[in-house]
Amino acid sequence: MGGTGSGRWRKHKCKKLIEETLKVNLRSWIAQGQIIPGNEFEWLWYDETGAAFAKIGVRVSSNQKSLEIFYELGDESVTNYLQLGYTEHGFGGQRVWFICPHCDRRVADLYFAKRYFFCRHCSELGYVSERRKRNELEDEDFAKSSY
């Protein structure tokens, strides 16, 4: 009992990392002036060499309450409808959020997983720091505090 190779450690599934996934960031689209009623634009992702490797089309509804994201996946055309949510700022104005189509969370970022865009939780994504060992993180904290 408890010998070499025993246990279930091999069945442990590591989460895919956020950095390995296509992300749409609502804040950057707002900063670029893209989220206006009836606007339609393309969003591209680039590799290290500067070559585009993925593209989506985005259409903002006339009432600014939803977005339509459309793209090709192999030979198939896919459309992803996303709701937008609004919260009031304490000092006036509103903040805009994506509403995750799977769990209804308000989020600023959505990630491509399982053919559609979902929040980090529904996409089952993790951070690099979650894979680090505790002593590595403590060493980084110590190095930061010693300056």
Coordinates of all heavy atoms in Angstrom, one line a residue, residues 31-79:
A31 N -12.3 51.9 -24.7 CA -11.3 52.9 -24.8 C -11.0 53.3 -26.2 O -10.7 54.4 -26.5 CB -10.0 52.4 -24.1
Q32 N -11.2 52.3 -27.2 CA -11.0 52.6 -28.6 C -12.2 53.1 -29.3 O -12.2 53.4 -30.5 CB -10.6 51.3 -29.3 CG -9.2 50.8 -28.9 CD -8.9 49.4 -29.4 OE1 -9.6 48.9 -30.3 NE2 -7.9 48.8 -28.9
G33 N -13.3 53.3 -28.5 CA -14.5 53.9 -29.0 C -15.3 53.0 -29.9 O -16.1 53.4 -30.7
Q34 N -15.2 51.6 -29.7 CA -15.8 50.7 -30.5 C -17.3 50.4 -30.0 O -18.1 49.9 -30.8 CB -15.0 49.3 -30.5 CG -13.7 49.5 -31.1 CD -13.7 49.7 -32.6 OE1 -14.7 49.9 -33.2 NE2 -12.5 49.7 -33.2
I35 N -17.6 50.5 -28.7 CA -18.9 50.1 -28.2 C -19.8 51.3 -28.3 O -20.1 52.0 -27.3 CB -18.7 49.6 -26.8 CG1 -17.7 48.5 -26.7 CG2 -20.1 49.1 -26.2 CD1 -18.0 47.3 -27.5
I36 N -20.3 51.6 -29.5 CA -21.3 52.6 -29.8 C -22.4 51.9 -30.6 O -22.2 51.0 -31.3 CB -20.7 53.8 -30.6 CG1 -20.0 53.3 -31.9 CG2 -19.7 54.6 -29.7 CD1 -19.5 54.5 -32.7
P37 N -23.7 52.4 -30.4 CA -24.8 51.8 -31.1 C -24.6 51.6 -32.6 O -24.3 52.5 -33.3 CB -26.0 52.8 -30.8 CG -25.5 53.6 -29.6 CD -24.0 53.7 -29.7
G38 N -24.9 50.3 -33.0 CA -24.9 49.9 -34.4 C -23.5 49.8 -35.0 O -23.3 49.4 -36.1
N39 N -22.4 50.0 -34.2 CA -21.1 49.8 -34.7 C -20.7 48.4 -35.1 O -21.2 47.5 -34.4 CB -20.0 50.4 -33.7 CG -18.6 50.5 -34.3 OD1 -18.5 50.8 -35.5 ND2 -17.6 50.3 -33.5
E40 N -19.9 48.2 -36.1 CA -19.4 46.9 -36.5 C -17.9 47.0 -36.7 O -17.5 47.9 -37.4 CB -20.2 46.4 -37.7 CG -19.9 44.9 -38.0 CD -20.9 44.4 -39.1 OE1 -22.0 44.9 -39.2 OE2 -20.4 43.6 -39.9
F41 N -17.2 46.1 -36.2 CA -15.7 46.1 -36.3 C -15.1 44.7 -36.3 O -15.8 43.8 -35.9 CB -15.1 47.0 -35.2 CG -15.3 46.5 -33.8 CD1 -14.3 45.8 -33.2 CD2 -16.4 46.9 -33.1 CE1 -14.5 45.4 -31.9 CE2 -16.6 46.5 -31.8 CZ -15.6 45.7 -31.2
E42 N -13.9 44.6 -36.7 CA -13.1 43.3 -36.6 C -12.1 43.4 -35.5 O -11.5 44.5 -35.2 CB -12.4 43.0 -37.9 CG -13.3 42.6 -39.0 CD -12.6 42.2 -40.3 OE1 -11.4 42.5 -40.4 OE2 -13.2 41.5 -41.1
W43 N -11.8 42.3 -34.9 CA -10.8 42.2 -33.8 C -9.9 41.1 -34.2 O -10.3 40.0 -34.5 CB -11.5 41.9 -32.5 CG -10.5 42.0 -31.4 CD1 -9.9 40.9 -30.7 CD2 -10.0 43.2 -30.8 NE1 -9.1 41.4 -29.7 CE2 -9.1 42.8 -29.8 CE3 -10.2 44.5 -31.0 CZ2 -8.4 43.7 -29.0 CZ3 -9.5 45.5 -30.3 CH2 -8.6 45.0 -29.2
L44 N -8.6 41.4 -34.2 CA -7.6 40.4 -34.6 C -6.6 40.1 -33.5 O -6.3 40.9 -32.6 CB -6.7 41.0 -35.8 CG -7.5 41.3 -37.0 CD1 -6.9 42.5 -37.7 CD2 -7.6 40.1 -37.9
W45 N -6.1 38.8 -33.5 CA -5.0 38.4 -32.5 C -3.8 38.2 -33.4 O -3.9 37.6 -34.5 CB -5.4 37.1 -31.8 CG -6.5 37.3 -30.7 CD1 -6.2 37.7 -29.4 CD2 -7.9 37.2 -30.9 NE1 -7.4 37.8 -28.8 CE2 -8.4 37.5 -29.6 CE3 -8.7 37.0 -32.0 CZ2 -9.8 37.5 -29.4 CZ3 -10.1 37.0 -31.7 CH2 -10.6 37.2 -30.5
Y46 N -2.6 38.5 -32.8 CA -1.4 38.4 -33.5 C -0.4 37.5 -32.7 O -0.4 37.5 -31.5 CB -0.7 39.8 -33.7 CG -1.6 40.8 -34.4 CD1 -2.5 41.6 -33.8 CD2 -1.5 40.8 -35.8 CE1 -3.3 42.5 -34.5 CE2 -2.3 41.7 -36.6 CZ -3.2 42.5 -35.9 OH -4.0 43.4 -36.6
D47 N 0.4 36.8 -33.5 CA 1.5 36.0 -32.9 C 2.7 36.8 -32.6 O 2.7 38.1 -32.9 CB 1.8 34.8 -33.7 CG 2.3 35.1 -35.1 OD1 2.8 36.2 -35.3 OD2 2.3 34.2 -35.9
E48 N 3.8 36.2 -32.2 CA 5.1 36.9 -31.8 C 5.7 37.6 -33.0 O 6.4 38.6 -32.9 CB 6.1 35.9 -31.2 CG 5.6 35.2 -30.0 CD 4.8 33.9 -30.4 OE1 5.0 33.3 -31.5 OE2 3.9 33.6 -29.7
T49 N 5.4 37.1 -34.2 CA 6.0 37.7 -35.4 C 5.2 38.9 -36.0 O 5.6 39.5 -36.9 CB 6.2 36.7 -36.6 OG1 4.9 36.3 -37.0 CG2 7.0 35.5 -36.1
G50 N 4.0 39.1 -35.4 CA 3.1 40.2 -35.8 C 2.1 39.8 -36.9 O 1.4 40.6 -37.4
A51 N 2.1 38.5 -37.2 CA 1.1 38.0 -38.1 C -0.2 37.6 -37.4 O -0.2 37.0 -36.4 CB 1.6 36.7 -38.8
A52 N -1.3 38.1 -38.1 CA -2.7 37.8 -37.5 C -2.9 36.3 -37.6 O -2.7 35.7 -38.7 CB -3.7 38.6 -38.2
F53 N -3.4 35.7 -36.5 CA -3.7 34.2 -36.6 C -5.2 33.9 -36.2 O -5.6 32.8 -36.4 CB -2.8 33.4 -35.7 CG -3.0 33.6 -34.2 CD1 -3.9 32.9 -33.5 CD2 -2.3 34.6 -33.6 CE1 -4.0 33.1 -32.1 CE2 -2.4 34.8 -32.2 CZ -3.3 34.1 -31.5
A54 N -5.9 34.9 -35.8 CA -7.4 34.7 -35.5 C -8.1 36.0 -35.6 O -7.5 37.1 -35.4 CB -7.6 34.2 -34.1
K55 N -9.4 35.9 -36.0 CA -10.2 37.1 -36.3 C -11.6 36.9 -35.9 O -12.2 35.8 -36.2 CB -10.0 37.5 -37.8 CG -10.9 38.7 -38.2 CD -10.7 39.0 -39.7 CE -11.5 38.0 -40.5 NZ -11.5 38.4 -41.9
I56 N -12.3 37.9 -35.3 CA -13.7 37.8 -35.1 C -14.3 39.1 -35.6 O -13.6 40.2 -35.7 CB -14.1 37.7 -33.6 CG1 -13.5 38.8 -32.8 CG2 -13.6 36.3 -33.1 CD1 -14.0 38.8 -31.3
G57 N -15.6 39.1 -36.0 CA -16.3 40.3 -36.3 C -17.2 40.6 -35.1 O -17.7 39.6 -34.4
V58 N -17.4 41.8 -34.8 CA -18.3 42.2 -33.7 C -19.3 43.3 -34.2 O -19.0 44.2 -34.9 CB -17.4 42.9 -32.6 CG1 -18.3 43.3 -31.4 CG2 -16.3 41.9 -32.1
R59 N -20.5 43.1 -33.7 CA -21.6 44.0 -34.1 C -22.3 44.4 -32.8 O -22.8 43.6 -32.0 CB -22.6 43.3 -35.0 CG -23.7 44.2 -35.6 CD -24.6 43.5 -36.6 NE -23.8 43.0 -37.7 CZ -23.8 41.7 -38.1 NH1 -24.6 40.8 -37.4 NH2 -23.1 41.3 -39.1
V60 N -22.3 45.7 -32.5 CA -23.0 46.3 -31.3 C -24.4 46.5 -31.6 O -24.8 47.1 -32.7 CB -22.3 47.6 -30.9 CG1 -22.9 48.1 -29.6 CG2 -20.8 47.4 -30.7
S61 N -25.4 46.1 -30.8 CA -26.8 46.4 -31.0 C -27.1 47.9 -30.9 O -26.3 48.7 -30.4 CB -27.6 45.6 -29.9 OG -27.4 46.2 -28.7
S62 N -28.2 48.2 -31.5 CA -28.6 49.6 -31.6 C -28.9 50.2 -30.2 O -28.8 51.4 -30.0 CB -29.8 49.8 -32.5 OG -30.9 49.1 -32.0
N63 N -29.2 49.4 -29.2 CA -29.5 49.9 -27.9 C -28.4 49.7 -26.9 O -28.5 50.0 -25.7 CB -30.8 49.2 -27.3 CG -30.6 47.7 -27.2 OD1 -29.6 47.2 -27.4 ND2 -31.7 47.1 -26.8
Q64 N -27.2 49.2 -27.4 CA -26.0 49.0 -26.6 C -26.2 48.0 -25.5 O -25.5 48.1 -24.5 CB -25.4 50.3 -26.1 CG -24.6 51.0 -27.1 CD -23.9 52.2 -26.4 OE1 -24.6 53.2 -26.3 NE2 -22.7 52.1 -26.1
K65 N -27.2 47.1 -25.6 CA -27.4 46.1 -24.5 C -26.9 44.7 -24.9 O -26.9 43.8 -24.1 CB -28.9 46.0 -24.2 CG -29.4 47.3 -23.6 CD -30.8 47.1 -23.0 CE -31.2 48.4 -22.3 NZ -32.5 48.3 -21.7
S66 N -26.4 44.6 -26.1 CA -25.8 43.3 -26.5 C -24.8 43.4 -27.6 O -24.7 44.5 -28.3 CB -26.9 42.3 -26.9 OG -27.6 42.8 -28.1
L67 N -24.0 42.4 -27.8 CA -23.0 42.3 -28.9 C -23.3 41.0 -29.6 O -23.7 40.0 -29.0 CB -21.6 42.3 -28.4 CG -21.0 43.4 -27.6 CD1 -19.6 43.1 -27.1 CD2 -21.0 44.7 -28.5
E68 N -22.9 41.0 -30.9 CA -22.9 39.7 -31.7 C -21.5 39.5 -32.1 O -20.9 40.4 -32.8 CB -23.9 39.9 -32.8 CG -24.1 38.7 -33.7 CD -25.0 39.0 -34.8 OE1 -25.7 40.1 -34.8 OE2 -25.1 38.2 -35.8
I69 N -20.9 38.4 -31.8 CA -19.6 38.1 -32.2 C -19.7 36.9 -33.2 O -20.3 35.9 -32.9 CB -18.7 37.7 -31.0 CG1 -18.5 38.8 -30.1 CG2 -17.3 37.2 -31.5 CD1 -17.6 38.5 -28.8
F70 N -19.1 37.1 -34.4 CA -19.2 36.0 -35.4 C -17.8 35.7 -35.9 O -16.9 36.6 -36.0 CB -20.1 36.4 -36.5 CG -20.0 37.9 -37.0 CD1 -19.3 38.2 -38.1 CD2 -20.7 38.9 -36.3 CE1 -19.2 39.5 -38.5 CE2 -20.6 40.2 -36.7 CZ -19.8 40.5 -37.8
Y71 N -17.6 34.4 -36.2 CA -16.3 34.0 -36.7 C -16.4 32.6 -37.4 O -17.5 32.0 -37.3 CB -15.3 33.8 -35.5 CG -15.9 33.2 -34.2 CD1 -15.8 31.8 -34.0 CD2 -16.7 33.9 -33.3 CE1 -16.4 31.2 -32.9 CE2 -17.2 33.3 -32.2 CZ -17.1 32.0 -32.0 OH -17.7 31.4 -30.9
E72 N -15.4 32.2 -38.0 CA -15.3 30.9 -38.7 C -14.5 30.0 -37.8 O -13.5 30.3 -37.2 CB -14.6 31.1 -40.0 CG -15.2 32.0 -41.0 CD -16.5 31.6 -41.5 OE1 -16.7 30.4 -41.8 OE2 -17.4 32.4 -41.7
L73 N -15.1 28.8 -37.7 CA -14.4 27.7 -37.0 C -14.4 26.5 -37.9 O -15.4 25.8 -38.1 CB -15.2 27.4 -35.7 CG -14.6 26.6 -34.6 CD1 -13.3 27.4 -34.1 CD2 -15.5 26.5 -33.4
G74 N -13.2 26.3 -38.6 CA -13.1 25.3 -39.6 C -14.0 25.8 -40.8 O -13.9 26.9 -41.3
D75 N -14.9 24.9 -41.2 CA -15.8 25.3 -42.3 C -17.1 25.8 -41.8 O -18.0 26.1 -42.6 CB -16.1 24.0 -43.2 CG -14.8 23.6 -43.9 OD1 -13.9 24.4 -44.1 OD2 -14.8 22.4 -44.2
E76 N -17.3 26.0 -40.5 CA -18.5 26.4 -40.0 C -18.5 27.9 -39.5 O -17.5 28.4 -38.9 CB -18.8 25.6 -38.7 CG -20.1 25.8 -38.1 CD -20.3 24.9 -36.8 OE1 -19.4 24.1 -36.5 OE2 -21.3 25.0 -36.2
S77 N -19.6 28.6 -39.8 CA -19.8 30.0 -39.2 C -20.4 29.9 -37.9 O -21.5 29.2 -37.7 CB -20.7 30.8 -40.2 OG -20.0 31.0 -41.4
V78 N -19.9 30.6 -36.9 CA -20.4 30.6 -35.5 C -20.7 32.0 -35.1 O -20.0 32.9 -35.4 CB -19.3 30.0 -34.5 CG1 -19.8 30.0 -33.1 CG2 -18.9 28.6 -35.0
T79 N -21.9 32.1 -34.4 CA -22.3 33.4 -33.9 C -22.5 33.3 -32.4 O -23.1 32.3 -31.9 CB -23.6 33.9 -34.5 OG1 -23.4 34.0 -36.0 CG2 -24.0 35.2 -34.0

